[in-house]
Amino acid sequence: MQEHLDLVERHNADALDQAAGLLLPAVTGGGLVYAGGSGHSLAMVLEGFFRAGGLACVHPLYAPEISPLHGAWPATEAERRSGLAGPIMEAAAPRPGDVVVIFSNSGANPYPVELAAAARSYGLPVIAFVSGPSMAAAPARAGVKLGEVADLVIDTLVPPGDVSYPAETPRTAALSSLACVYLWNLLLARMADRADLPLWASANVPGGDERNAELLERYSVRVPALRGSFTG
């Protein structure tokens, strides 16, 4: 697993620099970063949203039916169903200058593909965190795959099936979430080296509540989940 993280860091060095260049104008210019995914890729949406050290300008793209916590197999069926992503993107009310980041291991199901297409229809750039090998092996349930719709791909290089251990006959130690979290934090570090970012503080350190109160006031107008309401 450690070897894989070293590999994806080297492989994506240029792509991470490009992603930082796409995200920084939105982040420093008052825009939003929309984060989307389905199934276990929702773990990355949560990782990016309202997290100590994370960007305060993240808007989670979410609906209960795409979460395994609201029904495991129904969530799989939902991400394979066409027509769900468009209304979620519309409800988020994107504006010019925003950016969309989509997390998907296979990049093959209609939900992430149509989410990217909807974002592009609003003129928003799309960054995809997706596995090239998994995407190549998966059936194109949406006709095209996420890598063909996104403006920029950050490749997790996760093998088809996701699992990695033992090496000879892998059956456990899924890599997709691990690789995405690592790459996302590498991206945040690159951005922090270039600009002063709106970053959440831990609520459990001195001054954290005060810092977060200012960010909540700034961003909750456009991010309903920050104020306890949900529109998609």
Side-chain angles (χ1 to χ4, degrees):
M1 287 179 276
Q2 182 62 58
E3 290 176 359
H4 190 82
L5 295 184
D6 293 339
L7 173 63
V8 296
E9 180 173 4
R10 294 193 303 271
H11 180 83
N12 288 286
D14 290 342
L16 288 168
D17 285 339
Q18 293 177 55
L22 281 174
L23 285 166
L24 277 172
V27 172
T28 60
L32 296 183
V33 177
Y34 290 92
S38 58
H40 279 93
S41 293
L42 280 170
M44 282 306 304
V45 177
L46 184 59
E47 176 69 18
F49 176 68
F50 196 57
R51 198 218 192 289
L55 293 170
C57 54
V58 169
H59 188 309
L61 298 170
Y62 172 76
E65 55 261 54
I66 60 172
S67 169
L69 297 178
H70 294 273
W73 186 250
T76 296
E77 293 178 327
E79 67 181 352
R80 294 178 176 180
R81 187 171 66 243
S82 181
L84 181 60
I88 291 175
M89 193 77 240
E90 181 180 6
R95 300 177 184 174
D98 296 335
V99 180
V100 176
V101 181
I102 300 174
F103 301 92
S104 174
N105 185 45
S106 69
N109 288 318
Y111 179 77
V113 173
E114 292 179 5
L115 197 63
R120 293 290 300 274
S121 75
Y122 284 96
L124 307 183
V126 175
I127 301 169
F129 284 69
V130 64
S131 162
S134 297
M135 189 164 51
R141 294 191 176 95
V144 296
K145 297 180 181 180
L146 181 57
E148 300 172 65
V149 184
D151 295 279
L152 178 64
V153 169
I154 296 177
D155 193 344
T156 65
L157 300 173
V158 171
D162 207 347
V163 292
S164 64
Y165 186 87
E168 301 77 14
T169 55
R171 57 186 182 273
T172 190
L175 290 173
S176 59
S177 297
L178 183 66
C180 278
V181 168
Y182 186 56
L183 288 164
W184 177 250
N185 281 284
L186 288 174
L187 177 56
L188 290 177
R190 277 169 165 74
M191 294 168 62
D193 283 341
R194 301 183 189 181
D196 183 23
L197 305 177
L199 299 173
W200 297 111
S202 171
N204 299 309
V205 299
D209 285 350
E210 292 77 9
R211 165 64 173 168
N212 293 340
E214 185 273 325
L215 293 171
L216 282 165
E217 182 177 2
R218 188 191 315 179
Y219 289 107
S220 62
V221 174
R222 291 195 61 200
V223 184
L226 288 174
R227 59 178 185 268
S229 58
F230 178 74
T231 61

